[in-house]
Amino acid sequence: KLSPEYLSNTCTSFRKRVKADSKDQKTYFLKIHAPWDVLATYADVLKIKVPFKASDIPHGQDVPLEWLSHPFRLPEHIMRPVPDYFTYPFDKGKTDFFLINDKDTFFPPSTRNRIVSCRYWKRARNAECESERYNLYKHWARFLCFYKEQPLNLIRKYYGEKIGIYFAWLGFYTEMLFFAAVMGLICFTYGALSYDDNISSKEICNDSIGGTILMCPLCDKKCPFWKLNSTCLSSWQSHLFDNEGTVFFAIFMGIWVTLFLEFWKRRQARLEYEWDLVDFEEEQQQLQIRPEFEIRCTNRRLNKITQEMEPYLPITSKCARFCLSGATVLFWVCLIVACIIGVIAYRLAVYAAFASIIKDPMRKIQVVGRFITPQLATSVTASCINFVIIMILNFFYEKVAVWITDMEIPKTHLEYENRLTMKMFLFQFVNYYSSCFYLAFFKGKFVGYPGEYSYMFGGLSKLRNEECDPGGCLIELSTQLVIVMAGKQLWGNIQEALLPVMRNWWSGRKGRHHPENHYSRWEQDNVLLNFSQLGLFYEYLEMVIQFGFITLFVASFPLAPLLALFNNILEIRVDAWKFTTQFRRPVASKARNIGAWQEILNAVAILSVVTNAFIMAFTSDMIPRMVYLYAYSEKSNMRGYVNNSLSVYNISQIPEAHMPEEHDSWMDNSTTCRYRDYRYPPGHEREYKHTMQFWHILAAKMAFIIIMEHVVFVVKFFVAWMIPDVPSDVKARIKRERYLTQEYLHNYEVERLKLQLSASFITEPPSEMTSPTDKHEILSECL
């Protein structure tokens, strides 16, 4: 696809393969050689930094017990494929200033790739001189290396800084997940080991307590009266995630996310220095006008800075495009909300069907009903349906977001990526998290009470608003989080691993019938998938969505970081395998940070503090239990809490339209039923009004939210203030490199001037009447 003019100007030699070697008589391969003059010219134009002096700064001091990390380390020649140098932007007129030992290897592969976009590689036949691609596959892409560190310098050398910074961020994120996973596992283990101290679950499961409490129907007509002990298993399950340790884990995660972001800034600053990105002007590369903008914008106007005519988009067209874009975004967001409402309607409608099958311990289905309640059955099936809807909508969202962004005709590449990032993240945020927000903050909050229940759409439908299980809604939120998060990760890994293999298998099916010597390496690589410009965008998006799951709702499922850790260990190797074996080598490009994703991570981190505080206050039963323990318990223990948290309603006051169609014989003598709320009993002067304990609990919840948010935010800001973004040793190295650069440039110019003056003195010597002292003074004055 290179023009003949380009080939004639940049290539000193190229060899077209004979026509007989072309398998389809259409595809030909050119072996391009870019001479030193071309590489030097473009390196000068692109201001590529190259070495001028070997670095005299040690990598770091030996740390105690360093031998413990030896099993996780890679060979030194893989981790540091080139020595450390002090670098300076290349100047074609000062080639003798730089350390040029071999012109053929002076520019690394990623730099050559940026200049001439080469896509030819082959493993060296000499086993002692293996190619960089093979080394990446051997030490990085194989799954058996999952416990090894990543060869970031080799990745950067071969693929460029933009891909290198992604894998550096992904690796650092995975490392930090280890600490969150350990704390989450400890929290879960505490819940499992404290079973015997869970008095509330014991009372629910006790036949003399939970077996004698008759609960009001959970839906109209189809749902019967039921015994409280039928929720015995779900109450035990809730205790695994809803216990005292969950509060400390939620606070820990609020601090962990701050440490992760702050330490990443430090790691990023170190990589900027090591990869010569400190003075890199990213705008020079990303603020270039997109070709699509120049083609589609036919209007021209004078640029006041450059005094040249440039394309522009009229304000009327821009406003019209933004209005259409905003309307489209609003439509798809409303579509997501409509799908969530549909799932809620499914939950309300199907719950009655499950309840009519699974009624009580005496009439359960022998296999299923023994382990599952109507609430859990409804929650699991609804979560699975919601996951399928998310995957379907996600497919269309990607197309719509790209179409909307293309329609807006952004001027620059940076503007295009930022707009697409915000649209796609907004879609994904609503798509993946809306169901979790419903379970966490809306379900069971607007139920009413028997005789005065609240209905979906304000009574326009016969679907009664959902109630939480007596053990709380936290177990349902945990179920939703596990199904959506684990399902997304499993489906994503299968999709990433199988689709490239199948597509490459189909593309290269003809060449498999030829032996290796007739089907060359470059022909095999030519049929590989092309890594698109937005390839890294989708990789970042996948990880940021996962980051939201483990931060926004982590208080409901402490094992979420552990699942994310296992997924990321696999994700790194799958991505590495794809880059080395399934994709053509992408054109190298520079990037000094992760771009707009940094601001998104910061926003998610701040929002996570608020969501976890509200989950602990309104979704968890921790606050009601604490209020009962310290304000209402007569013996300063949790005995009697279950009876205290259930209000009483007179069965005779239930409207006939709400009464169950079938009555069981064991409830003929019952006159009252219980429901989850804090209201005065029948016959009281404030019958069915909220008790004072309800307002005490509400005040405690609001106080907890304020205290937790302020404590976590104060610690977050203090930690962010205490940890500098750039390490002190990196600052010192940057200053020393700049000092040495100025010193070496000064000495170089002085020596160069001396040689010029010496040459001029030889060709045109001073007059013989000039004394030696005057000659010395003339030379000194010139210098």
Side-chain angles (χ1 to χ4, degrees):
K1 298 182 180 180
L2 301 176
S3 64
E5 293 79 11
Y6 179 86
L7 293 174
S8 61
N9 293 332
T10 61
C11 305
T12 59
S13 65
F14 67 92
R15 178 167 55 94
K16 178 186 287 189
R17 300 194 62 187
V18 295
K19 188 175 182 179
D21 291 340
S22 177
K23 303 298 184 298
D24 56 4
Q25 301 299 314
K26 297 178 181 179
T27 305
Y28 304 93
F29 293 89
L30 297 178
K31 190 173 183 180
I32 299 176
H33 167 70
W36 167 258
D37 185 63
V38 173
L39 294 175
T41 300
Y42 281 96
D44 192 355
V45 172
L46 297 174
K47 300 299 180 185
I48 294 174
K49 287 189 174 184
V50 294
F52 69 90
K53 181 185 182 299
S55 175
D56 57 358
I57 302 177
H59 296 311
Q61 299 178 354
D62 295 337
V63 295
L65 302 178
E66 187 181 4
W67 57 273
L68 291 176
S69 63
H70 284 173
F72 307 100
R73 295 190 176 277
L74 292 174
E76 185 66 19
H77 74 280
I78 300 297
M79 290 303 299
R80 300 187 180 275
V82 293
D84 287 340
Y85 295 101
F86 292 128
T87 59
Y88 185 74
F90 185 79
D91 188 343
K92 189 177 180 181
K94 302 177 181 178
T95 54
D96 53 339
F97 174 71
F98 302 101
L99 296 177
I100 305 177
N101 298 323
D102 185 358
K103 292 184 178 181
D104 292 334
T105 60
F106 180 67
F107 293 108
S110 59
T111 301
R112 291 174 173 267
N113 184 270
R114 288 178 61 198
I115 295 175
V116 297
S117 300
C118 294
R119 298 185 185 276
Y120 164 70
W121 53 75
K122 187 175 181 180
R123 178 183 173 184
R125 296 186 180 276
N126 184 3
E128 298 179 356
C129 184
E130 296 172 340
S131 68
E132 291 165 340
R133 183 191 183 190
Y134 179 74
N135 280 331
L136 285 172
Y137 174 79
K138 179 180 178 181
H139 298 283
W140 179 48
R142 295 193 303 175
F143 182 75
L144 294 179
C145 300
F146 72 92
Y147 62 94
K148 297 280 188 178
E149 58 186 338
Q150 296 188 85
L152 295 178
N153 289 316
L154 187 58
I155 298 171
R156 174 246 180 173
K157 180 183 177 183
Y158 191 73
Y159 289 111
E161 288 79 4
K162 191 170 186 178
I163 293 177
I165 203 73
Y166 163 73
F167 281 103
W169 176 82
L170 181 58
F172 182 79
Y173 171 46
T174 305
E175 292 172 6
M176 292 294 293
L177 274 177
F178 174 78
F179 302 100
V182 170
M183 290 300 298
L185 187 60
I186 292 174
C187 178
F188 178 80
T189 305
Y190 171 79
L193 296 179
S194 59
Y195 262 9
D196 293 336
D197 299 330
N198 185 13
I199 299 177
S200 299
S201 295
K202 289 182 177 180
E203 290 185 347
I204 292 176
C205 298
N206 194 324
D207 292 336
S208 61
I209 300 178
T212 59
I213 296 178
L214 181 67
M215 301 296 295
C216 298
L218 295 175
C219 64
D220 297 339
K221 292 293 184 180
K222 297 295 183 181
C223 298
F225 294 93
W226 52 286
K227 294 293 185 65
L228 180 61
N229 63 350
S230 64
T231 61
C232 175
L233 182 61
S234 64
S235 66
W236 285 109
Q237 293 170 344
S238 297
H239 180 72
L240 292 174
F241 308 112
D242 189 7
N243 53 70
E244 294 78 6
T246 308
V247 183
F248 298 99
F249 182 65
I251 296 175
F252 167 81
M253 288 301 296
I255 300 173
W256 173 88
V257 71
T258 303
L259 293 175
F260 163 65
L261 294 175
E262 293 302 319
F263 283 132
W264 165 245
K265 292 179 183 177
R266 292 171 61 85
R267 180 67 182 278
Q268 189 171 253
R270 191 177 297 278
L271 289 176
E272 286 181 13
Y273 168 74
E274 294 178 353
W275 292 356
D276 296 325
L277 299 172
V278 175
D279 299 323
F280 171 63
E281 293 295 336
E282 202 165 5
E283 291 78 8
Q284 293 180 0
Q285 182 179 7
Q286 293 185 334
L287 294 183
Q288 297 175 355
I289 297 179
R290 299 172 62 239
E292 295 84 354
F293 183 84
E294 294 183 310
I295 294 173
R296 299 176 64 180
C297 296
T298 57
N299 298 290
R300 295 288 189 272
R301 66 180 177 184
L302 183 67
N303 189 314
K304 297 181 180 179
I305 299 176
T306 61
Q307 294 298 313
E308 295 179 356
M309 299 299 293
E310 66 175 9
Y312 81 101
L313 190 65
I315 187 66
T316 54
S317 177
K318 185 179 294 186
C319 292
R321 293 174 185 275
F322 274 114
C323 290
L324 181 59
S325 174
T328 306
V329 171
L330 182 61
F331 168 78
W332 281 96
V333 170
C334 292
L335 181 61
I336 301 173
V337 176
C339 292
I340 297 301
I341 294 176
V343 173
I344 295 173
Y346 164 84
R347 299 170 69 100
L348 298 177
V350 171
Y351 179 82
F354 280 114
S356 62
I357 298 174
I358 310 172
K359 292 182 177 180
D360 60 78
M362 300 301 296
R363 300 175 61 181
K364 287 179 182 176
I365 296 176
Q366 293 300 318
V367 178
V368 178
R370 186 179 304 169
F371 303 101
I372 195 168
T373 62
Q375 292 93 334
L376 188 58
T378 304
S379 179
V380 171
T381 56
S383 298
C384 294
I385 293 175
N386 186 51
F387 173 71
V388 174
I389 294 175
I390 287 174
M391 292 294 103
I392 295 174
L393 293 179
N394 189 38
F395 172 78
F396 293 102
Y397 293 156
E398 293 181 1
K399 311 295 183 183
V400 171
V402 174
W403 175 78
I404 294 174
T405 309
D406 289 338
M407 180 196 61
E408 294 176 357
I409 318 180
K411 183 176 181 180
T412 65
H413 292 285
L414 179 62
E415 188 178 355
Y416 182 89
E417 290 185 4
N418 288 342
R419 290 187 186 182
L420 181 61
T421 299
M422 297 308 299
K423 290 183 181 66
M424 187 65 76
F425 181 74
L426 176 63
F427 285 148
Q428 300 279 17
F429 185 92
V430 179
N431 193 22
Y432 281 104
Y433 303 145
S434 54
S435 57
C436 295
F437 273 100
Y438 164 74
L439 291 174
F441 307 122
F442 295 98
K443 182 180 178 181
K445 307 301 186 295
F446 310 99
V447 177
Y449 61 94
E452 292 291 336
Y453 281 118
S454 300
Y455 288 81
M456 193 174 183
F457 305 118
L460 298 178
S461 68
K462 296 182 179 181
L463 299 177
R464 205 169 83 189
N465 289 346
E466 285 187 284
E467 296 184 44
C468 289
D469 189 271
C473 278
L474 201 68
I475 186 63
E476 294 190 48
L477 179 58
S478 303
T479 304
Q480 174 77 14
L481 196 64
V482 170
I483 293 176
V484 175
M485 179 181 172
K488 177 185 180 299
Q489 294 181 163
L490 181 62
W491 173 253
N493 285 325
I494 293 176
Q495 193 176 25
E496 288 184 12
L498 291 183
L499 284 184
V501 173
M502 296 175 63
R503 294 173 65 180
N504 286 329
W505 175 85
W506 180 258
S507 301
R509 62 190 184 281
K510 295 181 179 179
R512 287 190 295 273
H513 303 293
H514 300 278
E516 175 70 20
N517 57 349
H518 286 88
Y519 193 54
S520 60
R521 178 75 263 171
W522 53 82
E523 289 177 304
Q524 297 177 42
D525 293 339
N526 183 62
V527 299
L528 295 179
L529 295 177
N530 185 32
F531 190 75
S532 66
Q533 185 181 0
L534 298 177
L536 281 183
F537 168 82
Y538 293 109
E539 300 292 345
Y540 276 117
L541 179 63
E542 179 184 2
M543 289 296 101
V544 171
I545 293 297
Q546 181 202 88
F547 180 80
F549 277 121
I550 68 165
T551 54
L552 295 175
F553 309 102
V554 72
S556 65
F557 187 56
L559 295 180
L562 184 63
L563 294 180
L565 176 64
F566 291 148
N567 174 80
N568 287 8
I569 292 174
L570 180 62
E571 179 76 20
I572 292 175
R573 305 304 161 179
V574 170
D575 287 347
W577 170 77
K578 287 192 307 180
F579 271 96
T580 54
T581 64
Q582 302 302 311
F583 286 110
R584 299 179 191 173
R585 181 182 180 183
V587 177
S589 58
K590 285 182 174 288
R592 60 183 303 178
N593 51 46
I594 61 176
W597 299 109
Q598 183 73 39
E599 299 303 322
I600 292 177
L601 291 175
N602 290 332
V604 172
I606 295 175
L607 181 61
S608 66
V609 178
V610 180
T611 56
N612 283 303
F614 273 84
I615 287 174
M616 296 306 304
F618 288 98
T619 309
S620 168
D621 268 359
M622 184 201 68
I623 300 299
R625 289 198 299 262
M626 293 298 101
V627 171
Y628 174 80
L629 178 64
Y630 295 109
Y632 291 90
S633 176
E634 297 178 357
K635 299 181 180 180
S636 297
N637 57 37
M638 293 301 297
R639 297 189 182 278
Y641 168 73
V642 173
N643 183 67
N644 176 265
S645 63
L646 299 175
S647 299
V648 181
Y649 194 82
N650 193 338
I651 295 179
S652 62
Q653 294 178 319
I654 298 179
E656 186 64 27
H658 300 169
M659 286 292 290
E661 295 177 347
E662 298 180 2
H663 296 277
D664 295 302
S665 58
W666 46 264
M667 58 156 293
D668 291 339
N669 298 327
S670 301
T671 58
T672 60
C673 64
R674 310 295 292 273
Y675 61 98
R676 182 184 171 89
D677 206 343
Y678 295 91
R679 295 180 182 270
Y680 290 107
H684 193 276
E685 61 179 3
R686 300 191 62 192
E687 183 180 66
Y688 304 137
K689 299 294 183 181
H690 282 123
T691 64
M692 187 57 63
Q693 185 176 356
F694 170 84
W695 301 109
H696 289 166
I697 292 174
L698 181 62
K701 290 179 177 180
M702 300 306 298
F704 173 82
I705 292 173
I706 295 173
I707 294 174
M708 179 177 173
E709 286 183 353
H710 281 70
V711 168
V712 175
F713 277 131
V714 167
V715 174
K716 280 171 63 70
F717 292 134
F718 179 74
V719 169
W721 175 74
M722 286 289 294
I723 301 176
D725 293 344
V726 182
S728 57
D729 63 314
V730 173
K731 291 181 179 179
R733 293 185 180 200
I734 294 174
K735 292 179 180 179
R736 174 162 176 76
E737 182 167 340
R738 289 175 177 173
Y739 166 77
L740 290 177
T741 300
Q742 295 297 327
E743 182 182 18
Y744 269 68
L745 276 176
H746 173 75
N747 294 337
Y748 171 78
E749 294 294 343
V750 169
E751 293 297 329
R752 191 175 183 180
L753 185 56
K754 284 182 180 179
L755 293 176
Q756 292 177 356
L757 290 176
S758 299
S760 64
F761 266 72
I762 294 175
T763 55
E764 296 181 8
S767 172
E768 295 181 359
M769 299 299 294
T770 306
S771 64
T773 304
D774 295 335
K775 294 179 181 180
H776 179 72
E777 292 177 355
I778 293 173
L779 181 60
S780 300
E781 185 176 351
C782 292
L783 293 177

